[in-house]
Amino acid sequence: MSSPPAAARPPTLRDRQRAQVRADIHAAAYRLFAARGFANVTTDDIAAEASVSPRTFFRHVATKEDLLLGAVQRGNAAIASLLARRPTDEPPDAALGAAIVSRVDTFDDADLENWRAAILTAPELLDRATLLSAADRHQMVDLVAARMGTDPGEDSRPGLLVQLSFAAADFAFQRWVRRQGPAQRPLASDVAEALAVVAHPRWRG
């Protein structure tokens, strides 16, 4: 899955070249994983398929697992940024839900389907594909608490809203990935539907 650029400045030629190399490596990995299975593909296989040297491969990718988990895990910063840009008068549950759905909606459909085919060959990694890592949970709780005008140390609602919202999103994400055959519905639709279950006036008072 491709990620939108984090920086506001226009990408330089070097930035575009690096992004293209990363995209080529990911595409090659997804093809090989889907065809042979995750466990049967080496980093040398991926480098050769992407027409790069092993040294170049490791300049862009830390581990083979990162090819499947990295794009999901790096989404946390994007969700936090999207949440910070939501209208200040928007209810916290609606703002957080919209930020999560907006992030998911940026995933390229073709890349996402290729990633899905690849990670299904590595079920031991699929359980680790979560939209919110433990390391980023505090930041998200603080953002929601600020929107609610409350102290997360004294008020449990911001933490509960974050936990429930991401649990709902992860549930929809996992169900979408594990669906038999081609995934017909857009992932963002499944995530939005799950988040609607969490929405409740209790977060707004």
Side-chain angles (χ1 to χ4, degrees):
M1 290 180 290
S2 58
S3 300
R9 63 174 176 78
T12 64
L13 175 60
R14 182 174 178 81
D15 291 335
R16 293 195 297 271
Q17 290 171 336
R18 288 174 60 84
Q20 185 59 57
V21 171
R22 283 194 299 271
D24 290 345
I25 290 171
H26 279 77
Y30 297 164
R31 287 195 302 271
L32 292 176
F33 294 158
R36 303 183 196 171
F38 178 80
N40 299 318
V41 176
T42 67
T43 55
D44 285 345
D45 293 335
I46 299 167
E49 179 75 9
S51 300
V52 300
S53 68
R55 181 177 179 181
T56 297
F57 174 92
F58 284 110
R59 191 177 299 139
H60 292 276
V61 180
T63 66
K64 192 172 72 165
E65 289 79 4
D66 188 55
L67 288 162
L68 291 176
L69 297 178
V72 178
Q73 293 168 344
R74 284 189 291 272
N76 300 325
I79 293 172
S81 177
L82 288 164
L83 176 59
R85 295 202 298 268
R86 300 297 303 176
T88 56
D89 60 348
E90 189 173 28
D93 56 328
L96 180 57
I100 295 170
V101 172
S102 293
R103 168 57 184 169
V104 171
D105 207 30
T106 65
F107 295 150
D108 179 85
D109 288 343
D111 285 350
L112 190 58
E113 192 58 48
N114 292 335
W115 175 87
R116 177 176 174 269
I119 200 167
L120 284 173
T121 72
E124 71 279 9
L125 296 183
L126 185 52
D127 288 337
R128 291 164 54 192
T130 176
L131 294 172
L132 181 67
S133 69
D136 295 292
R137 188 171 293 123
H138 290 302
Q139 179 193 15
M140 208 69 65
V141 171
D142 287 343
L143 286 169
V144 170
R147 182 172 290 272
M148 297 173 74
T150 190
D151 179 357
E154 302 293 333
D155 188 342
S156 64
R157 291 177 304 156
L160 284 170
L161 176 55
V162 169
Q163 293 279 27
L164 289 170
S165 295
F166 279 95
D170 280 332
F171 173 81
F173 179 62
Q174 291 280 342
R175 189 172 66 169
W176 183 90
V177 172
R178 297 171 192 268
R179 191 171 293 151
Q180 296 296 316
Q184 299 296 326
R185 275 171 56 103
L187 172 59
S189 296
D190 281 2
V191 170
E193 191 174 275
L195 286 166
V197 176
V198 176
H200 192 279
R202 69 169 65 90
W203 311 117
R204 308 182 181 191

mmCIF file of all heavy atoms in Angstrom, residues 74-120:
data_model
loop_
_atom_site.group_PDB
_atom_site.id
_atom_site.type_symbol
_atom_site.label_atom_id
_atom_site.label_comp_id
_atom_site.label_asym_id
_atom_site.label_seq_id
_atom_site.Cartn_x
_atom_site.Cartn_y
_atom_site.Cartn_z
ATOM 1 N N ARG A 74 2.629 2.905 9.556
ATOM 2 C CA ARG A 74 2.979 4.303 9.337
ATOM 3 C C ARG A 74 1.755 5.186 9.142
ATOM 4 O O ARG A 74 1.860 6.406 9.056
ATOM 5 C CB ARG A 74 3.910 4.422 8.130
ATOM 6 C CG ARG A 74 5.348 3.990 8.435
ATOM 7 C CD ARG A 74 6.270 4.328 7.293
ATOM 8 N NE ARG A 74 6.021 3.528 6.118
ATOM 9 C CZ ARG A 74 6.579 2.337 5.876
ATOM 10 N NH1 ARG A 74 7.413 1.810 6.760
ATOM 11 N NH2 ARG A 74 6.317 1.662 4.776
ATOM 12 N N GLY A 75 0.585 4.582 9.105
ATOM 13 C CA GLY A 75 -0.635 5.358 8.933
ATOM 14 C C GLY A 75 -1.030 6.155 10.154
ATOM 15 O O GLY A 75 -1.834 7.080 10.061
ATOM 16 N N ASN A 76 -0.444 5.831 11.323
ATOM 17 C CA ASN A 76 -0.841 6.507 12.557
ATOM 18 C C ASN A 76 -0.588 8.004 12.502
ATOM 19 O O ASN A 76 -1.428 8.815 12.907
ATOM 20 C CB ASN A 76 -0.083 5.901 13.739
ATOM 21 C CG ASN A 76 -0.357 4.426 13.897
ATOM 22 O OD1 ASN A 76 -1.458 3.967 13.637
ATOM 23 N ND2 ASN A 76 0.643 3.672 14.313
ATOM 24 N N ALA A 77 0.587 8.386 12.019
ATOM 25 C CA ALA A 77 0.914 9.817 11.945
ATOM 26 C C ALA A 77 -0.039 10.530 11.000
ATOM 27 O O ALA A 77 -0.450 11.667 11.253
ATOM 28 C CB ALA A 77 2.361 9.999 11.485
ATOM 29 N N ALA A 78 -0.401 9.865 9.917
ATOM 30 C CA ALA A 78 -1.325 10.480 8.960
ATOM 31 C C ALA A 78 -2.702 10.671 9.585
ATOM 32 O O ALA A 78 -3.345 11.702 9.373
ATOM 33 C CB ALA A 78 -1.428 9.618 7.701
ATOM 34 N N ILE A 79 -3.166 9.698 10.365
ATOM 35 C CA ILE A 79 -4.471 9.819 11.013
ATOM 36 C C ILE A 79 -4.450 10.961 12.014
ATOM 37 O O ILE A 79 -5.397 11.759 12.094
ATOM 38 C CB ILE A 79 -4.873 8.493 11.697
ATOM 39 C CG1 ILE A 79 -5.111 7.405 10.641
ATOM 40 C CG2 ILE A 79 -6.132 8.679 12.537
ATOM 41 C CD1 ILE A 79 -5.319 6.018 11.208
ATOM 42 N N ALA A 80 -3.372 11.078 12.785
ATOM 43 C CA ALA A 80 -3.257 12.165 13.757
ATOM 44 C C ALA A 80 -3.286 13.519 13.049
ATOM 45 O O ALA A 80 -3.953 14.464 13.504
ATOM 46 C CB ALA A 80 -1.971 12.017 14.563
ATOM 47 N N SER A 81 -2.579 13.624 11.934
ATOM 48 C CA SER A 81 -2.566 14.880 11.179
ATOM 49 C C SER A 81 -3.945 15.215 10.621
ATOM 50 O O SER A 81 -4.394 16.362 10.676
ATOM 51 C CB SER A 81 -1.547 14.778 10.038
ATOM 52 O OG SER A 81 -1.557 15.940 9.245
ATOM 53 N N LEU A 82 -4.630 14.192 10.110
ATOM 54 C CA LEU A 82 -5.977 14.407 9.575
ATOM 55 C C LEU A 82 -6.949 14.814 10.680
ATOM 56 O O LEU A 82 -7.814 15.676 10.483
ATOM 57 C CB LEU A 82 -6.467 13.129 8.885
ATOM 58 C CG LEU A 82 -5.797 12.791 7.554
ATOM 59 C CD1 LEU A 82 -6.069 11.340 7.167
ATOM 60 C CD2 LEU A 82 -6.280 13.728 6.450
ATOM 61 N N LEU A 83 -6.807 14.210 11.856
ATOM 62 C CA LEU A 83 -7.673 14.556 12.983
ATOM 63 C C LEU A 83 -7.444 16.012 13.405
ATOM 64 O O LEU A 83 -8.407 16.749 13.673
ATOM 65 C CB LEU A 83 -7.406 13.621 14.157
ATOM 66 C CG LEU A 83 -8.164 13.910 15.456
ATOM 67 C CD1 LEU A 83 -9.671 13.865 15.226
ATOM 68 C CD2 LEU A 83 -7.755 12.909 16.539
ATOM 69 N N ALA A 84 -6.193 16.425 13.447
ATOM 70 C CA ALA A 84 -5.885 17.799 13.855
ATOM 71 C C ALA A 84 -6.475 18.821 12.894
ATOM 72 O O ALA A 84 -6.748 19.963 13.292
ATOM 73 C CB ALA A 84 -4.368 17.972 13.950
ATOM 74 N N ARG A 85 -6.693 18.425 11.644
ATOM 75 C CA ARG A 85 -7.205 19.363 10.645
ATOM 76 C C ARG A 85 -8.728 19.347 10.535
ATOM 77 O O ARG A 85 -9.299 20.119 9.768
ATOM 78 C CB ARG A 85 -6.591 19.051 9.270
ATOM 79 C CG ARG A 85 -5.091 19.272 9.213
ATOM 80 C CD ARG A 85 -4.619 19.473 7.781
ATOM 81 N NE ARG A 85 -4.871 18.324 6.932
ATOM 82 C CZ ARG A 85 -3.998 17.341 6.730
ATOM 83 N NH1 ARG A 85 -2.827 17.374 7.340
ATOM 84 N NH2 ARG A 85 -4.288 16.336 5.942
ATOM 85 N N ARG A 86 -9.402 18.485 11.278
ATOM 86 C CA ARG A 86 -10.867 18.458 11.235
ATOM 87 C C ARG A 86 -11.436 19.731 11.860
ATOM 88 O O ARG A 86 -10.786 20.345 12.716
ATOM 89 C CB ARG A 86 -11.403 17.231 11.983
ATOM 90 C CG ARG A 86 -10.969 15.882 11.452
ATOM 91 C CD ARG A 86 -11.444 15.608 10.047
ATOM 92 N NE ARG A 86 -12.901 15.691 9.916
ATOM 93 C CZ ARG A 86 -13.551 15.568 8.757
ATOM 94 N NH1 ARG A 86 -12.871 15.362 7.630
ATOM 95 N NH2 ARG A 86 -14.864 15.650 8.717
ATOM 96 N N PRO A 87 -12.644 20.153 11.465
ATOM 97 C CA PRO A 87 -13.247 21.375 12.053
ATOM 98 C C PRO A 87 -13.309 21.276 13.575
ATOM 99 O O PRO A 87 -13.633 20.225 14.130
ATOM 100 C CB PRO A 87 -14.649 21.387 11.441
ATOM 101 C CG PRO A 87 -14.516 20.631 10.150
ATOM 102 C CD PRO A 87 -13.496 19.552 10.420
ATOM 103 N N THR A 88 -12.999 22.368 14.241
ATOM 104 C CA THR A 88 -12.927 22.343 15.703
ATOM 105 C C THR A 88 -14.276 22.103 16.357
ATOM 106 O O THR A 88 -14.336 21.651 17.507
ATOM 107 C CB THR A 88 -12.341 23.669 16.226
ATOM 108 O OG1 THR A 88 -13.138 24.764 15.734
ATOM 109 C CG2 THR A 88 -10.905 23.847 15.756
ATOM 110 N N ASP A 89 -15.375 22.432 15.657
ATOM 111 C CA ASP A 89 -16.696 22.236 16.251
ATOM 112 C C ASP A 89 -17.295 20.874 15.912
ATOM 113 O O ASP A 89 -18.446 20.590 16.266
ATOM 114 C CB ASP A 89 -17.655 23.343 15.806
ATOM 115 C CG ASP A 89 -17.839 23.395 14.285
ATOM 116 O OD1 ASP A 89 -17.052 22.719 13.564
ATOM 117 O OD2 ASP A 89 -18.753 24.104 13.822
ATOM 118 N N GLU A 90 -16.525 20.024 15.271
ATOM 119 C CA GLU A 90 -17.024 18.692 14.916
ATOM 120 C C GLU A 90 -16.969 17.792 16.149
ATOM 121 O O GLU A 90 -15.974 17.796 16.872
ATOM 122 C CB GLU A 90 -16.172 18.097 13.794
ATOM 123 C CG GLU A 90 -16.730 16.819 13.191
ATOM 124 C CD GLU A 90 -15.932 16.386 11.967
ATOM 125 O OE1 GLU A 90 -14.730 16.695 11.898
ATOM 126 O OE2 GLU A 90 -16.514 15.742 11.080
ATOM 127 N N PRO A 91 -18.012 17.021 16.444
ATOM 128 C CA PRO A 91 -17.987 16.118 17.599
ATOM 129 C C PRO A 91 -16.787 15.175 17.534
ATOM 130 O O PRO A 91 -16.362 14.767 16.447
ATOM 131 C CB PRO A 91 -19.306 15.344 17.480
ATOM 132 C CG PRO A 91 -20.197 16.249 16.697
ATOM 133 C CD PRO A 91 -19.309 16.958 15.730
ATOM 134 N N PRO A 92 -16.218 14.834 18.683
ATOM 135 C CA PRO A 92 -14.981 14.038 18.688
ATOM 136 C C PRO A 92 -15.107 12.682 18.018
ATOM 137 O O PRO A 92 -14.180 12.244 17.341
ATOM 138 C CB PRO A 92 -14.648 13.899 20.178
ATOM 139 C CG PRO A 92 -15.913 14.223 20.890
ATOM 140 C CD PRO A 92 -16.637 15.193 20.040
ATOM 141 N N ASP A 93 -16.243 11.999 18.193
ATOM 142 C CA ASP A 93 -16.388 10.690 17.554
ATOM 143 C C ASP A 93 -16.459 10.832 16.041
ATOM 144 O O ASP A 93 -15.859 10.044 15.290
ATOM 145 C CB ASP A 93 -17.617 9.947 18.085
ATOM 146 C CG ASP A 93 -18.906 10.734 17.921
ATOM 147 O OD1 ASP A 93 -18.862 11.976 17.984
ATOM 148 O OD2 ASP A 93 -19.956 10.109 17.732
ATOM 149 N N ALA A 94 -17.172 11.870 15.567
ATOM 150 C CA ALA A 94 -17.274 12.087 14.127
ATOM 151 C C ALA A 94 -15.928 12.499 13.537
ATOM 152 O O ALA A 94 -15.549 12.048 12.446
ATOM 153 C CB ALA A 94 -18.315 13.163 13.839
ATOM 154 N N ALA A 95 -15.177 13.349 14.260
ATOM 155 C CA ALA A 95 -13.878 13.808 13.769
ATOM 156 C C ALA A 95 -12.879 12.659 13.692
ATOM 157 O O ALA A 95 -12.168 12.501 12.684
ATOM 158 C CB ALA A 95 -13.344 14.912 14.682
ATOM 159 N N LEU A 96 -12.822 11.846 14.735
ATOM 160 C CA LEU A 96 -11.889 10.723 14.745
ATOM 161 C C LEU A 96 -12.268 9.712 13.670
ATOM 162 O O LEU A 96 -11.408 9.221 12.934
ATOM 163 C CB LEU A 96 -11.872 10.061 16.120
ATOM 164 C CG LEU A 96 -10.942 8.852 16.281
ATOM 165 C CD1 LEU A 96 -9.505 9.220 15.932
ATOM 166 C CD2 LEU A 96 -11.019 8.308 17.701
ATOM 167 N N GLY A 97 -13.560 9.409 13.552
ATOM 168 C CA GLY A 97 -14.007 8.471 12.530
ATOM 169 C C GLY A 97 -13.684 8.968 11.133
ATOM 170 O O GLY A 97 -13.218 8.207 10.275
ATOM 171 N N ALA A 98 -13.908 10.255 10.887
ATOM 172 C CA ALA A 98 -13.633 10.822 9.565
ATOM 173 C C ALA A 98 -12.143 10.784 9.255
ATOM 174 O O ALA A 98 -11.741 10.539 8.110
ATOM 175 C CB ALA A 98 -14.148 12.259 9.499
ATOM 176 N N ALA A 99 -11.302 11.023 10.261
ATOM 177 C CA ALA A 99 -9.855 10.977 10.053
ATOM 178 C C ALA A 99 -9.402 9.564 9.691
ATOM 179 O O ALA A 99 -8.575 9.373 8.792
ATOM 180 C CB ALA A 99 -9.128 11.467 11.306
ATOM 181 N N ILE A 100 -9.943 8.563 10.386
ATOM 182 C CA ILE A 100 -9.575 7.175 10.096
ATOM 183 C C ILE A 100 -10.018 6.788 8.693
ATOM 184 O O ILE A 100 -9.249 6.213 7.905
ATOM 185 C CB ILE A 100 -10.184 6.221 11.139
ATOM 186 C CG1 ILE A 100 -9.596 6.492 12.526
ATOM 187 C CG2 ILE A 100 -9.939 4.763 10.739
ATOM 188 C CD1 ILE A 100 -10.298 5.760 13.652
ATOM 189 N N VAL A 101 -11.260 7.111 8.341
ATOM 190 C CA VAL A 101 -11.781 6.759 7.023
ATOM 191 C C VAL A 101 -11.012 7.495 5.921
ATOM 192 O O VAL A 101 -10.694 6.914 4.877
ATOM 193 C CB VAL A 101 -13.285 7.066 6.926
ATOM 194 C CG1 VAL A 101 -13.784 6.879 5.489
ATOM 195 C CG2 VAL A 101 -14.074 6.158 7.868
ATOM 196 N N SER A 102 -10.689 8.760 6.157
ATOM 197 C CA SER A 102 -9.937 9.527 5.164
ATOM 198 C C SER A 102 -8.579 8.898 4.903
ATOM 199 O O SER A 102 -8.115 8.821 3.761
ATOM 200 C CB SER A 102 -9.744 10.973 5.634
ATOM 201 O OG SER A 102 -10.970 11.651 5.682
ATOM 202 N N ARG A 103 -7.926 8.432 5.960
ATOM 203 C CA ARG A 103 -6.626 7.768 5.791
ATOM 204 C C ARG A 103 -6.783 6.488 4.989
ATOM 205 O O ARG A 103 -6.037 6.238 4.044
ATOM 206 C CB ARG A 103 -6.015 7.481 7.158
ATOM 207 C CG ARG A 103 -4.830 6.547 7.142
ATOM 208 C CD ARG A 103 -3.716 7.045 6.258
ATOM 209 N NE ARG A 103 -2.627 6.068 6.206
ATOM 210 C CZ ARG A 103 -1.620 6.128 5.361
ATOM 211 N NH1 ARG A 103 -1.553 7.099 4.477
ATOM 212 N NH2 ARG A 103 -0.668 5.208 5.378
ATOM 213 N N VAL A 104 -7.743 5.665 5.355
ATOM 214 C CA VAL A 104 -7.950 4.400 4.653
ATOM 215 C C VAL A 104 -8.288 4.651 3.187
ATOM 216 O O VAL A 104 -7.860 3.911 2.296
ATOM 217 C CB VAL A 104 -9.067 3.581 5.338
ATOM 218 C CG1 VAL A 104 -9.450 2.369 4.503
ATOM 219 C CG2 VAL A 104 -8.626 3.142 6.736
ATOM 220 N N ASP A 105 -9.018 5.722 2.944
ATOM 221 C CA ASP A 105 -9.449 6.026 1.582
ATOM 222 C C ASP A 105 -8.294 6.462 0.680
ATOM 223 O O ASP A 105 -8.439 6.491 -0.542
ATOM 224 C CB ASP A 105 -10.514 7.129 1.614
ATOM 225 C CG ASP A 105 -11.458 7.066 0.413
ATOM 226 O OD1 ASP A 105 -11.692 5.954 -0.101
ATOM 227 O OD2 ASP A 105 -11.952 8.124 -0.003
ATOM 228 N N THR A 106 -7.134 6.799 1.278
ATOM 229 C CA THR A 106 -5.983 7.191 0.460
ATOM 230 C C THR A 106 -5.248 5.985 -0.115
ATOM 231 O O THR A 106 -4.437 6.144 -1.018
ATOM 232 C CB THR A 106 -4.963 8.026 1.259
ATOM 233 O OG1 THR A 106 -4.398 7.226 2.308
ATOM 234 C CG2 THR A 106 -5.608 9.275 1.834
ATOM 235 N N PHE A 107 -5.521 4.787 0.407
ATOM 236 C CA PHE A 107 -4.845 3.607 -0.117
ATOM 237 C C PHE A 107 -5.283 3.370 -1.557
ATOM 238 O O PHE A 107 -6.478 3.358 -1.852
ATOM 239 C CB PHE A 107 -5.172 2.361 0.715
ATOM 240 C CG PHE A 107 -4.676 2.406 2.132
ATOM 241 C CD1 PHE A 107 -5.376 1.740 3.128
ATOM 242 C CD2 PHE A 107 -3.527 3.087 2.477
ATOM 243 C CE1 PHE A 107 -4.933 1.759 4.446
ATOM 244 C CE2 PHE A 107 -3.070 3.121 3.787
ATOM 245 C CZ PHE A 107 -3.773 2.452 4.768
ATOM 246 N N ASP A 108 -4.331 3.183 -2.441
ATOM 247 C CA ASP A 108 -4.636 2.885 -3.827
ATOM 248 C C ASP A 108 -5.295 1.507 -3.911
ATOM 249 O O ASP A 108 -4.792 0.531 -3.356
ATOM 250 C CB ASP A 108 -3.347 2.911 -4.655
ATOM 251 C CG ASP A 108 -3.579 2.583 -6.106
ATOM 252 O OD1 ASP A 108 -3.912 3.502 -6.876
ATOM 253 O OD2 ASP A 108 -3.449 1.392 -6.460
ATOM 254 N N ASP A 109 -6.428 1.413 -4.621
ATOM 255 C CA ASP A 109 -7.190 0.159 -4.652
ATOM 256 C C ASP A 109 -6.368 -1.003 -5.205
ATOM 257 O O ASP A 109 -6.419 -2.119 -4.667
ATOM 258 C CB ASP A 109 -8.466 0.328 -5.488
ATOM 259 C CG ASP A 109 -9.506 1.187 -4.786
ATOM 260 O OD1 ASP A 109 -9.387 1.372 -3.559
ATOM 261 O OD2 ASP A 109 -10.430 1.674 -5.461
ATOM 262 N N ALA A 110 -5.629 -0.763 -6.280
ATOM 263 C CA ALA A 110 -4.835 -1.840 -6.876
ATOM 264 C C ALA A 110 -3.727 -2.272 -5.929
ATOM 265 O O ALA A 110 -3.494 -3.471 -5.719
ATOM 266 C CB ALA A 110 -4.253 -1.388 -8.216
ATOM 267 N N ASP A 111 -3.029 -1.290 -5.317
ATOM 268 C CA ASP A 111 -1.983 -1.623 -4.352
ATOM 269 C C ASP A 111 -2.558 -2.391 -3.170
ATOM 270 O O ASP A 111 -1.954 -3.349 -2.673
ATOM 271 C CB ASP A 111 -1.316 -0.348 -3.825
ATOM 272 C CG ASP A 111 -0.366 0.281 -4.830
ATOM 273 O OD1 ASP A 111 -0.076 -0.372 -5.852
ATOM 274 O OD2 ASP A 111 0.075 1.415 -4.599
ATOM 275 N N LEU A 112 -3.726 -1.962 -2.711
ATOM 276 C CA LEU A 112 -4.347 -2.596 -1.559
ATOM 277 C C LEU A 112 -4.720 -4.042 -1.857
ATOM 278 O O LEU A 112 -4.522 -4.934 -1.030
ATOM 279 C CB LEU A 112 -5.588 -1.799 -1.147
ATOM 280 C CG LEU A 112 -6.242 -2.166 0.179
ATOM 281 C CD1 LEU A 112 -5.247 -2.029 1.329
ATOM 282 C CD2 LEU A 112 -7.455 -1.291 0.425
ATOM 283 N N GLU A 113 -5.254 -4.291 -3.038
ATOM 284 C CA GLU A 113 -5.625 -5.661 -3.398
ATOM 285 C C GLU A 113 -4.382 -6.540 -3.535
ATOM 286 O O GLU A 113 -4.389 -7.704 -3.127
ATOM 287 C CB GLU A 113 -6.424 -5.656 -4.705
ATOM 288 C CG GLU A 113 -7.103 -6.975 -5.018
ATOM 289 C CD GLU A 113 -8.060 -7.432 -3.914
ATOM 290 O OE1 GLU A 113 -8.881 -6.631 -3.463
ATOM 291 O OE2 GLU A 113 -7.965 -8.616 -3.514
ATOM 292 N N ASN A 114 -3.304 -5.983 -4.078
ATOM 293 C CA ASN A 114 -2.048 -6.740 -4.185
ATOM 294 C C ASN A 114 -1.481 -7.030 -2.801
ATOM 295 O O ASN A 114 -0.982 -8.125 -2.535
ATOM 296 C CB ASN A 114 -1.024 -5.966 -5.019
ATOM 297 C CG ASN A 114 -1.420 -5.868 -6.481
ATOM 298 O OD1 ASN A 114 -2.168 -6.703 -6.984
ATOM 299 N ND2 ASN A 114 -0.919 -4.858 -7.166
ATOM 300 N N TRP A 115 -1.555 -6.024 -1.908
ATOM 301 C CA TRP A 115 -1.098 -6.227 -0.529
ATOM 302 C C TRP A 115 -1.933 -7.298 0.159
ATOM 303 O O TRP A 115 -1.407 -8.150 0.871
ATOM 304 C CB TRP A 115 -1.210 -4.904 0.228
ATOM 305 C CG TRP A 115 -0.883 -5.006 1.695
ATOM 306 C CD1 TRP A 115 0.342 -4.908 2.273
ATOM 307 C CD2 TRP A 115 -1.811 -5.247 2.762
ATOM 308 N NE1 TRP A 115 0.249 -5.063 3.639
ATOM 309 C CE2 TRP A 115 -1.068 -5.274 3.957
ATOM 310 C CE3 TRP A 115 -3.191 -5.428 2.812
ATOM 311 C CZ2 TRP A 115 -1.653 -5.477 5.194
ATOM 312 C CZ3 TRP A 115 -3.783 -5.632 4.051
ATOM 313 C CH2 TRP A 115 -3.022 -5.659 5.224
ATOM 314 N N ARG A 116 -3.235 -7.259 -0.062
ATOM 315 C CA ARG A 116 -4.136 -8.244 0.538
ATOM 316 C C ARG A 116 -3.767 -9.660 0.104
ATOM 317 O O ARG A 116 -3.679 -10.575 0.931
ATOM 318 C CB ARG A 116 -5.580 -7.920 0.156
ATOM 319 C CG ARG A 116 -6.627 -8.907 0.643
ATOM 320 C CD ARG A 116 -8.017 -8.421 0.279
ATOM 321 N NE ARG A 116 -9.010 -9.405 0.606
ATOM 322 C CZ ARG A 116 -9.449 -10.352 -0.230
ATOM 323 N NH1 ARG A 116 -8.968 -10.398 -1.466
ATOM 324 N NH2 ARG A 116 -10.354 -11.223 0.145
ATOM 325 N N ALA A 117 -3.526 -9.852 -1.190
ATOM 326 C CA ALA A 117 -3.150 -11.176 -1.691
ATOM 327 C C ALA A 117 -1.832 -11.633 -1.075
ATOM 328 O O ALA A 117 -1.651 -12.823 -0.780
ATOM 329 C CB ALA A 117 -3.045 -11.146 -3.214
ATOM 330 N N ALA A 118 -0.927 -10.682 -0.852
ATOM 331 C CA ALA A 118 0.376 -11.021 -0.292
ATOM 332 C C ALA A 118 0.288 -11.394 1.180
ATOM 333 O O ALA A 118 0.838 -12.404 1.618
ATOM 334 C CB ALA A 118 1.345 -9.851 -0.484
ATOM 335 N N ILE A 119 -0.426 -10.583 1.983
ATOM 336 C CA ILE A 119 -0.432 -10.832 3.432
ATOM 337 C C ILE A 119 -1.268 -12.066 3.786
ATOM 338 O O ILE A 119 -1.072 -12.673 4.838
ATOM 339 C CB ILE A 119 -0.897 -9.589 4.219
ATOM 340 C CG1 ILE A 119 -0.408 -9.706 5.680
ATOM 341 C CG2 ILE A 119 -2.407 -9.420 4.141
ATOM 342 C CD1 ILE A 119 -0.514 -8.450 6.482
ATOM 343 N N LEU A 120 -2.174 -12.453 2.929
ATOM 344 C CA LEU A 120 -2.933 -13.679 3.203
ATOM 345 C C LEU A 120 -2.034 -14.910 3.181
ATOM 346 O O LEU A 120 -2.415 -15.960 3.699
ATOM 347 C CB LEU A 120 -4.069 -13.843 2.188
ATOM 348 C CG LEU A 120 -5.288 -12.935 2.427
ATOM 349 C CD1 LEU A 120 -6.275 -13.048 1.279
ATOM 350 C CD2 LEU A 120 -5.968 -13.259 3.755
#
